[in-house]
Amino acid sequence: MPGDGIGPEVTAEAVRMLAAVGKRFGHSFEYTEALVGGAAIDATGSALPDESLNIAKQSDSILFGAVGGPKWDDPRAATRPEAGLLALRRGMGLFANLRPVKVVPELLGASPIKSTVIDGVDLIVVRELTGGLYFAEPKKRWNDSQGRKAVDTLKYTEKEIRRVLQVGFDLARGRRGRLASVDKANVLASSRLWREVAQEMAEENPDVSVSHILVDACAMMLIQRPAEFDVIVTENMFGDILTDEASVLAGSMGMLPSASLGTKKIRKRGGGLYGMYEPIHGSAPDIAGQGIANPLAAISSAAMMLRLSFGLNEEADAVEAAVDATLAAGYRTADVAGVGVADSDTQVVKTTQMADAVIERIENPERARVPRPL
Ligand code: IPM
Ligand code: MG
């Protein structure tokens, strides 16, 4: 589902990259392209036509680009491109959104935050994705004698809280064993339930060290001492905001992948969980059509798909090594250009050239193992 803006540009590169993985490891990937977002509104009037949802249901995973753009931004419009993304998350039951943030040494200088602060950052945010303010009812707008009114509802059930926290506990166990549960328990009833459930689960999982952090304090700590975080689990809206903030640590949103998972399993060999894989960046209408978008977030998202849905760990490792080697060799798209190392050692490239450099390193694994030249 390429979507809008730079979505089609970056997903096309991820698909090219997967062909190279297929060739090297002896797999073939089958695609059905489906409309979503503004492109779908233009063609059908709906941001997620039934046909697209059916294609999603019949597939083993979704590779998603981005949705939205000024063309569909009228606040009075009947439907918005974003509605397609939300309907897909909800429709496919993808309640756990994994957003890893890893600072690559070559891009230390790409972040406005001091290198000494972000060096070694390796965290993952698990954002609840199908509940809370985004979906709970009532959610509406109306007029009465006092004027215009609108309401959104922050509601969570124990079950929704528990299942997303469980994903965080499982991840923490395979990492550094630390889980930060983020809430606003000093103000919100839903957060007090969240904290209560998180505390019960902490007692059930003594091998994971749990801290409860208020979301405003967490926003501050993410900038002050981000390297201390391992796994962060939080509700939908808090997670939306904190992950944009966390992306600044990595230098560019163009670098960061994401996976959205539920409980549906795929039937294919090695089948893991059904997932939707997408860059965390948006459709970037300001640079769309210029061929300069960073394809690495989309490529890394496809690597997450190989690992989490298809159980192809060696293949995913190969993609990640190729991405690292490409950055080490000095390739930079405009969003991360001219930083980290002397300009003469880096080369500003366009979307397809960046993907070519990655593909070359997948096809020739020895090039992905070359000691870092910089
Ligand atoms: C994200 C985006 C979406 C969200 C928008 C496009 C609806 O910001 O994936 O973080 O708010 O979830
Ligand atoms: Mg967001």
PDB file of all heavy atoms in Angstrom, residues 261-276:
ATOM      1  N   LEU A 261       1.667  -4.973  15.077  1.00  0.00           N
ATOM      2  CA  LEU A 261       1.332  -6.391  15.204  1.00  0.00           C
ATOM      3  C   LEU A 261       0.071  -6.588  16.034  1.00  0.00           C
ATOM      4  O   LEU A 261      -0.264  -5.752  16.871  1.00  0.00           O
ATOM      5  CB  LEU A 261       2.482  -7.144  15.894  1.00  0.00           C
ATOM      6  CG  LEU A 261       3.882  -6.974  15.282  1.00  0.00           C
ATOM      7  CD1 LEU A 261       4.932  -7.562  16.211  1.00  0.00           C
ATOM      8  CD2 LEU A 261       3.951  -7.623  13.909  1.00  0.00           C
ATOM      9  N   GLY A 262      -0.592  -7.715  15.798  1.00  0.00           N
ATOM     10  CA  GLY A 262      -1.744  -8.089  16.624  1.00  0.00           C
ATOM     11  C   GLY A 262      -1.543  -9.504  17.116  1.00  0.00           C
ATOM     12  O   GLY A 262      -0.445  -9.867  17.559  1.00  0.00           O
ATOM     13  N   THR A 263      -2.583 -10.317  16.979  1.00  0.00           N
ATOM     14  CA  THR A 263      -2.445 -11.722  17.385  1.00  0.00           C
ATOM     15  C   THR A 263      -2.587 -12.659  16.192  1.00  0.00           C
ATOM     16  O   THR A 263      -2.341 -13.851  16.299  1.00  0.00           O
ATOM     17  CB  THR A 263      -3.517 -12.111  18.423  1.00  0.00           C
ATOM     18  OG1 THR A 263      -4.790 -11.744  17.900  1.00  0.00           O
ATOM     19  CG2 THR A 263      -3.291 -11.410  19.748  1.00  0.00           C
ATOM     20  N   LYS A 264      -3.018 -12.120  15.052  1.00  0.00           N
ATOM     21  CA  LYS A 264      -3.208 -12.953  13.859  1.00  0.00           C
ATOM     22  C   LYS A 264      -1.865 -13.515  13.398  1.00  0.00           C
ATOM     23  O   LYS A 264      -0.895 -12.780  13.265  1.00  0.00           O
ATOM     24  CB  LYS A 264      -3.844 -12.077  12.762  1.00  0.00           C
ATOM     25  CG  LYS A 264      -4.106 -12.776  11.446  1.00  0.00           C
ATOM     26  CD  LYS A 264      -4.730 -11.789  10.446  1.00  0.00           C
ATOM     27  CE  LYS A 264      -4.418 -12.192   9.022  1.00  0.00           C
ATOM     28  NZ  LYS A 264      -5.541 -12.510   8.189  1.00  0.00           N
ATOM     29  N   LYS A 265      -1.861 -14.824  13.159  1.00  0.00           N
ATOM     30  CA  LYS A 265      -0.634 -15.469  12.676  1.00  0.00           C
ATOM     31  C   LYS A 265      -0.738 -15.704  11.183  1.00  0.00           C
ATOM     32  O   LYS A 265      -1.836 -15.882  10.663  1.00  0.00           O
ATOM     33  CB  LYS A 265      -0.446 -16.820  13.377  1.00  0.00           C
ATOM     34  CG  LYS A 265      -0.060 -16.688  14.829  1.00  0.00           C
ATOM     35  CD  LYS A 265       0.985 -17.732  15.186  1.00  0.00           C
ATOM     36  CE  LYS A 265       1.668 -17.377  16.483  1.00  0.00           C
ATOM     37  NZ  LYS A 265       1.662 -18.417  17.457  1.00  0.00           N
ATOM     38  N   ILE A 266       0.385 -15.743  10.518  1.00  0.00           N
ATOM     39  CA  ILE A 266       0.323 -16.075   9.097  1.00  0.00           C
ATOM     40  C   ILE A 266       0.630 -17.552   8.924  1.00  0.00           C
ATOM     41  O   ILE A 266       1.294 -18.162   9.752  1.00  0.00           O
ATOM     42  CB  ILE A 266       1.254 -15.186   8.247  1.00  0.00           C
ATOM     43  CG1 ILE A 266       2.721 -15.396   8.611  1.00  0.00           C
ATOM     44  CG2 ILE A 266       0.889 -13.721   8.407  1.00  0.00           C
ATOM     45  CD1 ILE A 266       3.649 -14.723   7.645  1.00  0.00           C
ATOM     46  N   ARG A 267       0.112 -18.116   7.834  1.00  0.00           N
ATOM     47  CA  ARG A 267       0.217 -19.562   7.664  1.00  0.00           C
ATOM     48  C   ARG A 267       1.485 -20.013   6.956  1.00  0.00           C
ATOM     49  O   ARG A 267       1.810 -21.169   6.932  1.00  0.00           O
ATOM     50  CB  ARG A 267      -1.005 -20.080   6.907  1.00  0.00           C
ATOM     51  CG  ARG A 267      -2.174 -20.335   7.856  1.00  0.00           C
ATOM     52  CD  ARG A 267      -3.449 -20.466   7.082  1.00  0.00           C
ATOM     53  NE  ARG A 267      -3.684 -19.254   6.288  1.00  0.00           N
ATOM     54  CZ  ARG A 267      -4.832 -18.954   5.703  1.00  0.00           C
ATOM     55  NH1 ARG A 267      -5.831 -19.759   5.786  1.00  0.00           N
ATOM     56  NH2 ARG A 267      -4.973 -17.829   5.029  1.00  0.00           N
ATOM     57  N   LYS A 268       2.190 -19.057   6.388  1.00  0.00           N
ATOM     58  CA  LYS A 268       3.383 -19.403   5.617  1.00  0.00           C
ATOM     59  C   LYS A 268       4.440 -20.092   6.486  1.00  0.00           C
ATOM     60  O   LYS A 268       4.452 -19.941   7.698  1.00  0.00           O
ATOM     61  CB  LYS A 268       4.002 -18.141   5.024  1.00  0.00           C
ATOM     62  CG  LYS A 268       3.206 -17.539   3.890  1.00  0.00           C
ATOM     63  CD  LYS A 268       3.592 -18.168   2.567  1.00  0.00           C
ATOM     64  CE  LYS A 268       2.870 -17.562   1.376  1.00  0.00           C
ATOM     65  NZ  LYS A 268       1.455 -17.338   1.490  1.00  0.00           N
ATOM     66  N   ARG A 269       5.324 -20.798   5.812  1.00  0.00           N
ATOM     67  CA  ARG A 269       6.459 -21.440   6.471  1.00  0.00           C
ATOM     68  C   ARG A 269       7.203 -20.424   7.350  1.00  0.00           C
ATOM     69  O   ARG A 269       7.459 -19.298   6.935  1.00  0.00           O
ATOM     70  CB  ARG A 269       7.403 -21.943   5.366  1.00  0.00           C
ATOM     71  CG  ARG A 269       8.638 -22.624   5.834  1.00  0.00           C
ATOM     72  CD  ARG A 269       9.334 -23.244   4.621  1.00  0.00           C
ATOM     73  NE  ARG A 269       9.527 -22.286   3.540  1.00  0.00           N
ATOM     74  CZ  ARG A 269      10.663 -21.614   3.332  1.00  0.00           C
ATOM     75  NH1 ARG A 269      11.674 -21.801   4.103  1.00  0.00           N
ATOM     76  NH2 ARG A 269      10.758 -20.764   2.333  1.00  0.00           N
ATOM     77  N   GLY A 270       7.514 -20.829   8.540  1.00  0.00           N
ATOM     78  CA  GLY A 270       8.218 -19.923   9.452  1.00  0.00           C
ATOM     79  C   GLY A 270       7.328 -18.797   9.951  1.00  0.00           C
ATOM     80  O   GLY A 270       7.797 -17.809  10.481  1.00  0.00           O
ATOM     81  N   GLY A 271       6.023 -18.966   9.711  1.00  0.00           N
ATOM     82  CA  GLY A 271       5.095 -17.860   9.928  1.00  0.00           C
ATOM     83  C   GLY A 271       5.092 -17.312  11.341  1.00  0.00           C
ATOM     84  O   GLY A 271       4.948 -18.035  12.315  1.00  0.00           O
ATOM     85  N   GLY A 272       5.248 -16.023  11.420  1.00  0.00           N
ATOM     86  CA  GLY A 272       5.135 -15.332  12.696  1.00  0.00           C
ATOM     87  C   GLY A 272       3.812 -14.597  12.692  1.00  0.00           C
ATOM     88  O   GLY A 272       2.809 -15.069  12.139  1.00  0.00           O
ATOM     89  N   LEU A 273       3.802 -13.420  13.285  1.00  0.00           N
ATOM     90  CA  LEU A 273       2.585 -12.638  13.365  1.00  0.00           C
ATOM     91  C   LEU A 273       2.384 -11.832  12.082  1.00  0.00           C
ATOM     92  O   LEU A 273       3.342 -11.352  11.477  1.00  0.00           O
ATOM     93  CB  LEU A 273       2.672 -11.674  14.550  1.00  0.00           C
ATOM     94  CG  LEU A 273       2.653 -12.322  15.930  1.00  0.00           C
ATOM     95  CD1 LEU A 273       2.955 -11.281  17.002  1.00  0.00           C
ATOM     96  CD2 LEU A 273       1.298 -12.975  16.202  1.00  0.00           C
ATOM     97  N   TYR A 274       1.128 -11.705  11.716  1.00  0.00           N
ATOM     98  CA  TYR A 274       0.751 -10.800  10.630  1.00  0.00           C
ATOM     99  C   TYR A 274       1.123  -9.381  11.067  1.00  0.00           C
ATOM    100  O   TYR A 274       0.912  -8.998  12.218  1.00  0.00           O
ATOM    101  CB  TYR A 274      -0.761 -10.891  10.436  1.00  0.00           C
ATOM    102  CG  TYR A 274      -1.318 -10.015   9.354  1.00  0.00           C
ATOM    103  CD1 TYR A 274      -1.573 -10.527   8.100  1.00  0.00           C
ATOM    104  CD2 TYR A 274      -1.594  -8.669   9.598  1.00  0.00           C
ATOM    105  CE1 TYR A 274      -2.101  -9.726   7.097  1.00  0.00           C
ATOM    106  CE2 TYR A 274      -2.113  -7.863   8.604  1.00  0.00           C
ATOM    107  CZ  TYR A 274      -2.366  -8.389   7.352  1.00  0.00           C
ATOM    108  OH  TYR A 274      -2.873  -7.584   6.377  1.00  0.00           O
ATOM    109  N   GLY A 275       1.656  -8.608  10.151  1.00  0.00           N
ATOM    110  CA  GLY A 275       2.034  -7.256  10.558  1.00  0.00           C
ATOM    111  C   GLY A 275       1.871  -6.222   9.459  1.00  0.00           C
ATOM    112  O   GLY A 275       1.762  -6.559   8.282  1.00  0.00           O
ATOM    113  N   MET A 276       1.845  -4.985   9.874  1.00  0.00           N
ATOM    114  CA  MET A 276       1.903  -3.874   8.922  1.00  0.00           C
ATOM    115  C   MET A 276       3.221  -3.154   9.181  1.00  0.00           C
ATOM    116  O   MET A 276       3.548  -2.819  10.322  1.00  0.00           O
ATOM    117  CB  MET A 276       0.736  -2.925   9.124  1.00  0.00           C
ATOM    118  CG  MET A 276       0.871  -1.672   8.276  1.00  0.00           C
ATOM    119  SD  MET A 276      -0.693  -0.911   7.920  1.00  0.00           S
ATOM    120  CE  MET A 276      -0.958  -0.027   9.420  1.00  0.00           C
TER     121      MET A 276
END
